[in-house]
Structures are given as structure tokens and as C-alpha cells.
Amino acid sequence: MGNRIKEERVKFVKVLVVGANGQIGKHLVKFIQEDEQLEAKAMIRKQEQANYFNELGAEVAVVDLESDIQDIAEAAKDVDAVVFTAGSGPHTGKDKTIMIDLDGAVKTIEAAKKANVKRFVMISSFATSREAIQQAPENFAPYVAAKHYADEWLRATDLDYTIIHPGALTNDSGKDQVQVAEQVDRGQVPREDVARVILETLKQDATIGKAYQVVEGNTSAKEAIDSL
Amino acid sequence: MGNRIKEERVKFVKVLVVGANGQIGKHLVKFIQEDEQLEAKAMIRKQEQANYFNELGAEVAVVDLESDIQDIAEAAKDVDAVVFTAGSGPHTGKDKTIMIDLDGAVKTIEAAKKANVKRFVMISSFATSREAIQQAPENFAPYVAAKHYADEWLRATDLDYTIIHPGALTNDSGKDQVQVAEQVDRGQVPREDVARVILETLKQDATIGKAYQVVEGNTSAKEAIDSL
């Protein structure tokens, strides 16, 4: 018994990153490609966006989020997890807020179900509760509402989901110093560090069924997720 | 046995009309007030809109649909049924599409639940399926999506709901000549006749759990609903 060599199964998990060409998405695909256990499949809207991902050795699927569920399911058919980090952002036209942040997210969730992919990580907004909609400034409320309904749709599925609620996103270089908890004080967080938190979330199954906010702090993403 | 006099209970049903000041809403409140079994409570956004309803002898509740669930529940607390016929329309800003057509509808549904009102009649758009979103012209798709999610939210409740899908609305005088079925060919329909269909829907419990499209045709609203 004492000296038995443990069989260590290397878990090799393929992750479809929806919204890969976004700023969080680009960091995330890079981190995934650097990771020993994970590999990325970048879902992008246009073939012209493929170079960055090809250079990282990542697979690419060209699918417009405004196309139908079947096209997204096709991209998801050989993966083990889906990350939704696409976003029209709060400052695009409100038509895109509905069509991407809400409907694009729901179609991706339905595509994951269709492709029998159980693991789903949603990149949401910092606060998406009913109260958050009511309290949001008038111009921001539609975005919060769209993210609220996308999160609600995901919660109502039986997918192995995690919902990540990042604070105000910055393009600062990440320092891998974050604070992660169900509720934290409002604050900023570099997109690069959000990507680190997503990476650790994918690697840690204890995050399934959880939702947490992320701002800058003083713990590495790995430690923060490990200690949830 | 033979000569027993039947007790005929007069069913007196109070209906909260959400979006009463809209064009369908105004016709509907008038029809409800003229009906022997029903009475209307008009939910309107501004006190200045009250005159029309006061003159019809209808009660009024001033509540902005962008306020919170509790305010709407307060308006619903003494009614037996809720009709949601508010709408930003397909041509307002898309921010209102999310905040009124989707979020306003969902808040009204939640308010009905909170106020223990079981009966809920939703005025939807002609086609709100997943396929309808994908097939809609780009500028119209966000409206279809908003109505889709509102309808889906209602279906997921245990309310006694009916979903009415009117064709292209016109301001023509109604002739009380409609066609009503789960699926009909696309066509126009006067708002006044949609209001007649809503009235008959409220009076006929067999409509519970059903969804139907309405266009102009050659049957009265009463007959069309009775023969569903």
C-alpha cells in the first residue's frame, strides 16, 4: 500500500471562449494556451480576427453570435467547457445590448446544452440583481437588465455554471492581485486579472454553482479561487 | 329536483390594465367598463392621464413601469386579473425596449405573483418564437427578443396566463371581425378589435394556458374566443 504509485490522470480540457476577440477573451485564450491542462477554441466573428489565436496555437471557430443556436452548438460540439465573455459593452447601441448581451448569451447557453457541454462560465456585470437594475443610472440600466436576464436564464438550467461578476474593467496590466467573494466593495479590476480568475475558475470544480464578484485586491487569482 | 332555481353567482372581476393609456389600453378600459361582469383599474404613468379613465368611471393607479415590483404589486393588490398591454413600441429607443417591453413585463408578472393575482393576460407581438427573432429584420429583432423573453418568463410561472399575439396594429375602427388561432397568416388588425379579443379572453377561462395570434377576419371576438 505504502509505496503505490498514484495514477495521475492528466485532465485535458478544451474550452470554447465565446467573445475571444474581446479584451478579456484575448488574455484568457493566451492563459489557457499557456496552461498544461487546458486548451482553447476561440469563437470569433470574422476570419480576419484569427491570426492572434493561430499564433497562440489555439483552434478557431468563426461564428457570429447573431446567427442561430445550431451554429454555436456546432462550435461547441467537441469542447468540455464554454466561457461566455462576449459583450456589446454598456456603450454600444441598446439593440446590441439585447441581441448580444442577452440573446447571444442565451443562445450560447442553449448551444452548450445542445452540444452536451455541462460546464459553463458566464462573465457577467458587477451587480445584476433586481435591485441593481432599479438602482442603475438610466443609461446603464438596460445593460444591467440584459445581463440580469442572461444570468437568470443560466441559473434556471442544470448546467455546471459559474457566474463571474467583475468590477469596473481597466486595461491596466494585471498584477494577479484580486479580491473574490460573493460580495465585495465596488472597485476596479484589470481585464487581464479577470482572465486569470476565469482560468482558475475553469480549473477548480468547487466553483460550480457559485457566483462571485471580482475586484483588485491582494491575493493571487489561484489563491482567491482556492479559498472560496 | 326539476324545478330548482339555479343560483347564478354574478362574477364581478376587477382587471388591472397595465399600459391603460396606450391605444389598445384605452379601448380595453372602455369595453371593460361597459361590461356587466368586469370593472377596470387603469394603471397609468402620470396623473394627467387620469381624466379619460375617470370619465369612464374606472379606478386609476398612477405607477411608472420603471419603478419597482412593490409599487406595481400595490396597484394589483385588490384585482382579480392583470392585463399587460404596455409597450414602448418597436420604434422607441432600444433602451425602452429592454426596460418596458421586457423588464416592465417581468416586473408586472412578479407583481401579480406577489399580490396573489393568478390571472394574467399578456399582449405580445405577432411572432415571438426563437425562429421569429432570427428571421426578424435587424432593426425589429431586439423588440421581438424582448417580447420573447417576457413571454418565456410568463410561461415559466404558475400563473393562469394567456398570451395574445396580434398582427400588425392599425388605428382603423374595429368591426369586431377577427380571426383567432394558434397560428394564422400574417395580417393587420385594428387595435380596437384586439381590445375586444382581450375582453373576451378575460371572460372565458378556457383561454387559460393558451397563446393565440389575432388578425382581422370574419368572426366576432366572442365567437372566435368561444370556439377556440
Side-chain angles (χ1 to χ4, degrees):
Chain A
M1 300 278 265
N3 240 345
R4 199 167 62 136
I5 293 162
K6 272 202 227 150
E7 256 187 58
E8 288 194 47
R9 188 172 64 89
V10 176
K11 230 171 112 191
F12 200 60
V13 174
K14 194 182 208 174
V15 182
L16 181 69
V17 179
V18 175
N21 201 51
Q23 296 182 73
I24 291 174
K26 282 183 162 176
H27 286 298
L28 178 61
V29 171
K30 181 166 163 289
F31 289 142
I32 289 177
Q33 290 303 103
E34 288 166 2
D35 190 273
E36 287 174 1
Q37 299 170 297
L38 305 175
E39 61 175 324
K41 182 172 183 179
M43 193 171 116
I44 53 178
R45 195 151 52 96
K46 298 175 192 159
Q47 187 61 47
E48 302 94 277
Q49 299 165 335
N51 270 356
Y52 173 86
F53 304 100
N54 290 338
E55 280 168 22
L56 292 171
E59 204 180 323
V60 155
V62 179
V63 181
D64 188 327
L65 255 183
E66 298 195 54
S67 61
D68 65 18
I69 292 168
Q70 187 52 48
D71 294 338
I72 307 169
E74 193 64 31
K77 72 170 191 287
D78 59 346
V79 306
D80 307 290
V82 173
V83 174
F84 185 86
T85 183
S88 70
H91 304 297
T92 52
K94 295 304 186 294
D95 52 338
K96 291 300 173 200
T97 303
I98 301 183
M99 298 315 287
I100 300 300
D101 298 287
L102 172 53
D103 201 44
V106 167
K107 286 192 288 190
T108 303
I109 293 164
E110 292 304 304
K113 285 161 64 178
K114 202 163 191 158
N116 288 314
V117 181
K118 288 290 281 180
R119 185 72 173 114
F120 198 103
V121 178
M122 172 73 91
I123 314 312
S124 182
S125 180
F126 184 71
T128 60
S129 64
R130 160 59 49 203
E131 292 67 38
I133 303 175
Q134 298 303 133
Q135 288 160 13
E138 193 178 351
N139 190 46
F140 194 60
Y143 176 72
V144 175
K147 298 299 280 182
H148 167 81
Y149 287 106
D151 292 353
E152 287 288 308
W153 192 278
L154 180 57
R155 280 180 213 275
T157 67
D158 60 356
L159 294 179
D160 291 338
Y161 70 82
T162 306
I163 302 176
I164 298 177
H165 297 284
L169 300 166
T170 73
N171 287 331
D172 299 348
S173 289
K175 298 179 210 145
D176 195 13
Q177 291 290 295
V178 294
Q179 189 191 351
V180 176
E182 207 177 310
Q183 266 196 305
V184 302
D185 286 340
R186 210 170 262 278
Q188 296 191 324
V189 60
R191 288 179 169 85
E192 188 178 350
D193 283 345
V194 173
R196 285 194 171 94
V197 168
I198 301 170
L199 181 82
E200 296 303 329
T201 297
L202 287 163
K203 290 163 67 86
Q204 180 56 268
D205 281 352
T207 58
I208 289 172
K210 292 192 178 150
Y212 33 84
Q213 297 181 323
V214 180
V215 293
E216 58 194 359
N218 43 35
T219 315
S220 75
K222 182 172 185 336
E223 280 174 85
I225 293 301
D226 279 352
S227 65
L228 268 178
Chain B
M1 300 276 264
N3 241 344
R4 201 170 58 142
I5 294 163
K6 273 201 231 154
E7 257 187 59
E8 289 195 49
R9 191 172 62 90
V10 177
K11 229 171 108 188
F12 200 61
V13 175
K14 193 183 208 174
V15 182
L16 182 69
V17 178
V18 175
N21 201 53
Q23 297 183 74
I24 292 174
K26 281 182 162 176
H27 287 298
L28 178 61
V29 171
K30 181 166 162 291
F31 290 141
I32 289 177
Q33 289 304 101
E34 287 167 2
D35 190 274
E36 287 174 3
Q37 298 170 295
L38 304 175
E39 61 176 323
K41 183 172 183 179
M43 195 172 112
I44 53 178
R45 194 152 51 97
K46 297 175 192 159
Q47 186 60 48
E48 303 94 275
Q49 300 166 333
N51 270 356
Y52 173 86
F53 305 99
N54 289 337
E55 280 168 22
L56 292 171
E59 205 180 322
V60 156
V62 179
V63 180
D64 189 328
L65 255 183
E66 297 196 53
S67 60
D68 64 18
I69 292 168
Q70 187 52 47
D71 293 339
I72 307 169
E74 193 64 29
K77 73 171 190 289
D78 60 346
V79 305
D80 307 290
V82 172
V83 174
F84 185 87
T85 183
S88 69
H91 304 298
T92 52
K94 295 304 186 292
D95 51 339
K96 292 299 173 200
T97 303
I98 301 183
M99 298 315 287
I100 299 300
D101 298 286
L102 171 52
D103 201 45
V106 168
K107 286 191 290 189
T108 303
I109 293 164
E110 293 303 303
K113 285 160 65 178
K114 201 162 191 158
N116 289 313
V117 181
K118 288 290 281 180
R119 185 73 173 114
F120 198 103
V121 178
M122 173 72 91
I123 314 313
S124 183
S125 181
F126 185 71
T128 60
S129 64
R130 159 60 49 203
E131 292 68 38
I133 302 175
Q134 298 302 133
Q135 288 161 13
E138 193 179 351
N139 190 45
F140 193 60
Y143 176 72
V144 176
K147 298 299 280 183
H148 168 80
Y149 287 106
D151 291 353
E152 287 289 308
W153 192 277
L154 180 56
R155 279 180 213 275
T157 67
D158 60 356
L159 294 178
D160 292 339
Y161 71 82
T162 305
I163 303 176
I164 298 177
H165 297 285
L169 300 167
T170 73
N171 288 330
D172 298 349
S173 289
K175 299 179 207 141
D176 194 13
Q177 291 290 295
V178 294
Q179 189 191 351
V180 176
E182 208 177 311
Q183 266 195 303
V184 301
D185 287 339
R186 210 170 263 277
Q188 295 192 324
V189 61
R191 289 179 170 85
E192 188 177 350
D193 283 346
V194 174
R196 286 194 171 92
V197 169
I198 300 170
L199 182 81
E200 296 303 329
T201 297
L202 286 164
K203 291 163 67 89
Q204 180 56 269
D205 282 352
T207 58
I208 289 173
K210 293 191 177 149
Y212 34 84
Q213 296 181 325
V214 181
V215 293
E216 59 194 2
N218 44 34
T219 315
S220 74
K222 182 174 185 338
E223 280 173 85
I225 295 299
D226 279 351
S227 65
L228 268 178

